[in-house]
Amino acid sequence: QVQLVESGGGLVQAGGSLRLSCAASGRAVSDYRMGWFRQAPGKERELVAAISRSGGSLYYADSAKGRFTISKNNARNTVSLQMNSLKPEDTAVYYCAACDSPSSGDCDYWGQGTQVTVSS
């Protein structure tokens, strides 16, 4: 069993930055492909960024490229998402997940989510 707890969400003005963190317990983040997903009201959940078990392979949705950076700290068993140049359309609940295949949504464990609100 893996527990994932996100933190770092909040309200920020457009152009600002936030850093989301996901603390894992029960298993190592290096045991999974870790993903950050988001879901806005009335929209489907989408994969924003993912990182491989080794950390050597990264994925970003087109909407996140050049603005978001995913990273992990194996010693602290955490995964982070640095979000810069935020836009109102980034407003959503962001979820951390431990996955076999983030791109297909095949994830075994999910966090409770953290709200990100970007004001214009």
Side-chain angles (χ1 to χ4, degrees):
Q1 190 77 3
V2 179
Q3 292 78 42
L4 302 172
V5 179
E6 301 98 335
S7 60
L11 173 64
V12 64
Q13 289 187 333
S17 299
L18 283 174
R19 184 176 181 85
L20 305 183
S21 185
C22 173
S25 60
R27 292 282 297 274
V29 293
S30 56
D31 288 344
Y32 297 90
R33 296 180 178 92
M34 299 298 296
W36 281 100
F37 294 76
R38 68 186 182 187
Q39 187 165 21
K43 295 187 177 181
E44 293 187 354
R45 183 182 63 203
E46 63 171 339
L47 176 64
V48 175
I51 187 167
S52 63
R53 292 182 178 89
S54 68
S57 179
L58 307 178
Y59 165 86
Y60 295 99
D62 287 344
S63 59
K65 288 178 181 176
R67 300 188 301 126
F68 293 4
T69 302
I70 188 171
S71 61
K72 65 177 181 175
N73 185 318
N74 289 336
R76 296 184 177 181
N77 215 27
T78 59
V79 180
S80 298
L81 185 68
Q82 177 68 41
M83 304 187 295
N84 299 327
S85 302
L86 284 162
K87 304 174 182 180
E89 51 263 45
D90 294 319
T91 295
V93 178
Y94 284 71
Y95 299 91
C96 172
C99 310
D100 290 323
S101 175
S103 60
S104 63
D106 181 12
C107 301
D108 296 325
Y109 302 99
W110 296 84
Q112 82 288 351
T114 186
Q115 177 70 47
V116 171
T117 303
V118 185
S119 63
S120 57

